[in-house]
Amino acid sequence: MFFPIKMKRQNVRTLSLIVCTFIYLLLGAAVFDALESRSEEKQKNELEFIQKQIKQNYNMTDEDFNNLENTIIKLVPHNAGVQWKFAGSFFFCMTVITTIGYGHSAPHTSGGKVFCMIYALIGIPLNLVMFQSVGERLNVLMGFGVKKVKGCLRFKKVGVSHTELCIIGGLANIIITVSGSLAFVHFEKWNFLDALYYVVITLTTVGFGDYVALQKDNVIQEKPEYVFFSIIYILVALVVLASVMNLLVLRLLTLNTEDERREAQEQQEIALRHSAGELNHIDTHMNFYNHNHARGPLLEPHAKGEHRPLCQTCTCNSKARHRTNADSYAVDFNVDTKTAYANNYSPAVYSTLYSEDAEVFDQFLNSDRSGKRASI
């Protein structure tokens, strides 16, 4: 009974997370439906009108227009310059192992596709472990810095709590996000909202690919300092974000560990109480039997043929049927007690009513039949 009840707390927490996630998805779908569906329909109608106008003005067939469309789509990434030289390849590899995956460029050769699959399968776990380890070291460094600051300000308690580290990590993420957005406003000539959108989508490794840095005016070849800044910025920002995520995950694991420790302690306490109760029950019964057997037979015959227990009181806490309960003596009183003893006959009552102490009664029945039975 105890174990399923205590496990229910963790099961409820897991079920709550599942339900909250599903509700969050429903809420997001409803909001995007309200915000984007009308704009999508309007844009679709405008593009279809433009497509019709182009076909009429230039007397183009559907096949010609589709060829022109595919050509333009393929030319879009090449407008940014060469993508697969070393700098561009390095930027692509970073988007692979960080799972950002903008989709601005992708391998087209068979060898490139095979190598990309192998590279991702090895690089993604390696990158996750690296971010986790560096995030932990960063948390230790932040904690050391907070202790030093508290010591300089003469705080009474210089310890660092989990909440303080989360707050500091959150502030660090806000500063890095805003500063990076301002930098991309300068380099990419985006407005602040678009730059902030690009940074957040990148750092969360969503990577839609609608906004991608280093894709204008051949900057990958002509501005290596900007390429270096973009790569370093994304990696550092991801490490800082990983440190905060590490704190949150650690807190969740701590809650689970505390629950498991609490359950183990409560189970141990109940087991100890149960063992103590069993010992007390055994001691009480043995004292009762010693007292009863020292006085004589189990049942005392009376003048009218009645049989009743010698002792009428029992102080044990057991819920089992005792000899103090008259209803528990379903004995066939037509059997003579002395005849039963002489013939070594033990009625079924002894094996059913006293099953908890079968060994004791076996010793009693097999003991000296001279009339002076030693107490067991």
Side-chain angles (χ1 to χ4, degrees):
M1 284 296 290
F2 175 75
F3 182 74
I5 292 176
K6 298 311 291 181
M7 283 301 294
K8 185 177 179 181
R9 181 184 303 170
Q10 297 179 358
N11 293 338
V12 168
R13 180 183 299 158
T14 302
L15 182 61
S16 300
L17 290 173
I18 295 173
V19 172
C20 289
T21 302
F22 189 73
I23 293 175
Y24 193 73
L25 291 173
L26 293 177
L27 178 62
V31 171
F32 281 117
D33 185 9
L35 294 176
E36 297 292 335
S37 60
R38 293 183 180 179
S39 176
E40 180 189 27
E41 189 69 24
K42 181 180 178 181
Q43 188 177 17
K44 178 183 177 182
N45 294 332
E46 291 177 353
L47 291 175
E48 288 178 350
F49 177 76
I50 295 174
Q51 177 184 7
K52 185 177 180 180
Q53 289 295 110
I54 292 176
K55 289 181 180 179
Q56 291 178 355
N57 294 337
Y58 296 96
N59 195 20
M60 297 177 64
T61 62
D62 291 338
E63 184 178 359
D64 293 336
F65 185 84
N66 291 334
N67 291 333
L68 177 62
E69 185 180 21
N70 292 330
T71 302
I72 294 174
I73 291 174
K74 292 179 180 179
L75 280 174
V76 169
H78 297 285
N79 292 334
V82 179
Q83 293 288 325
W84 291 105
K85 293 297 183 182
F86 183 80
S89 297
F90 190 90
F91 185 72
F92 172 79
C93 291
M94 185 199 66
T95 63
V96 170
I97 66 171
T98 57
T99 68
I100 295 175
Y102 291 121
H104 66 290
S105 61
H108 296 285
T109 63
S110 299
K113 292 176 181 179
V114 172
F115 178 77
C116 184
M117 291 188 290
I118 299 173
Y119 188 80
L121 291 175
I122 298 175
I124 291 174
L126 176 63
N127 178 72
L128 293 176
V129 173
M130 184 272 292
F131 278 162
Q132 182 76 10
S133 179
V134 176
E136 290 177 356
R137 296 301 92 198
L138 185 60
N139 290 332
V140 173
L141 181 61
M142 288 192 299
F144 179 77
V146 172
K147 287 183 179 180
K148 288 296 183 181
V149 171
K150 286 186 174 181
C152 294
L153 297 177
R154 300 185 181 279
F155 277 73
K156 293 182 179 180
K157 295 181 179 180
V158 296
V160 182
S161 66
H162 186 274
T163 304
E164 290 174 342
L165 286 178
C166 287
I167 293 174
I168 294 173
L171 292 175
N173 272 287
I174 293 174
I175 294 172
I176 289 178
T177 300
V178 173
S179 60
S181 300
L182 295 174
F184 286 114
V185 167
H186 173 72
F187 287 110
E188 296 289 341
K189 308 303 179 184
W190 294 331
N191 59 52
F192 181 77
L193 178 60
D194 291 340
L196 181 64
Y197 168 79
Y198 165 75
V199 170
V200 172
I201 295 301
T202 296
L203 297 185
T204 53
T205 69
V206 177
F208 291 124
D210 50 350
Y211 288 90
V212 183
L214 308 176
Q215 300 300 304
K216 287 183 180 179
D217 304 327
N218 202 24
V219 295
I220 294 180
Q221 283 75 38
E222 296 182 359
K223 294 182 179 179
E225 68 281 0
Y226 177 42
V227 177
F228 179 79
F229 164 79
S230 298
I231 294 174
I232 297 299
Y233 169 77
I234 293 174
L235 291 176
V236 172
L238 286 174
V239 167
V240 177
L241 181 63
S243 67
V244 178
M245 297 302 294
N246 179 270
L247 291 173
L248 297 177
V249 172
L250 180 63
R251 180 57 181 169
L252 180 61
L253 294 177
T254 302
L255 291 175
N256 292 333
T257 303
E258 290 175 356
D259 289 342
E260 293 174 358
R261 186 184 299 112
R262 190 183 301 110
E263 291 172 3
Q265 291 177 353
E266 292 177 355
Q267 289 180 0
Q268 185 177 8
E269 292 175 359
I270 287 181
L272 291 175
R273 288 198 298 267
H274 182 71
S275 300
E278 289 292 334
L279 291 176
N280 184 33
H281 174 71
I282 294 174
D283 290 342
T284 304
H285 273 285
M286 292 304 296
N287 291 334
F288 175 76
Y289 294 145
N290 289 336
H291 166 68
N292 191 20
H293 297 166
R295 293 180 59 181
L298 285 174
L299 301 176
E300 180 184 9
H302 290 268
K304 296 182 179 181
E306 295 179 351
H307 291 74
R308 65 181 180 182
L310 293 176
C311 293
Q312 299 295 329
T313 59
C314 181
T315 59
C316 73
N317 296 324
S318 174
K319 296 182 180 179
R321 299 167 67 89
H322 302 299
R323 282 185 283 181
T324 60
N325 188 350
D327 296 334
S328 65
Y329 290 89
V331 184
D332 185 4
F333 294 115
N334 295 323
V335 180
D336 183 70
T337 306
K338 294 182 179 180
T339 304
Y341 291 158
N343 296 330
N344 196 20
Y345 169 74
S346 59
V349 63
Y350 293 131
S351 62
T352 57
L353 300 181
Y354 305 113
S355 59
E356 298 181 7
D357 304 283
E359 183 178 356
V360 174
F361 281 95
D362 287 339
Q363 294 178 14
F364 174 82
L365 296 176
N366 295 324
S367 62
D368 184 13
R369 294 187 174 85
S370 62
K372 297 181 179 180
R373 295 180 176 85
S375 59
I376 301 172

